[in-house]
Amino acid sequence: PSGDWKPYLRTMSNHHHPYPPADTAIARDPVCGMTVDPTAGKPTHVHGGRTFRFCNPKFREKFVSALED
């Protein structure tokens, strides 16, 4: 490409995306990879200050069990 692209990069450093709050963002089940709606009342587990969301209780149990091994 022709031209000076560095000024464009400087403007990108001030670019921000409006992400939704964590409570309303779609999460991914760490066991099966399925998306989970946090407002649907699905099982959760807090580990290391992070809330993990699961599509069913058996995957939550599997996740917690793996942490204990």
Side-chain angles (χ1 to χ4, degrees):
S2 62
D4 186 11
W5 49 269
K6 291 179 184 176
Y8 174 74
L9 290 179
R10 283 193 290 274
T11 63
M12 292 301 291
S13 67
N14 294 326
H15 184 77
H16 299 286
H17 291 278
Y19 292 108
D23 291 346
T24 60
I26 297 296
R28 190 164 299 276
D29 184 317
V31 176
C32 71
M34 190 172 170
T35 57
V36 181
D37 179 356
T39 64
K42 298 289 185 171
T44 62
H45 179 74
V46 178
H47 178 73
R50 183 174 169 197
T51 301
F52 293 89
R53 301 183 186 282
F54 303 88
C55 62
N56 72 60
K58 289 188 179 194
F59 288 155
R60 181 193 177 279
E61 292 170 18
K62 186 173 184 177
F63 182 82
V64 172
S65 177
L67 292 174
E68 295 171 353
D69 289 342

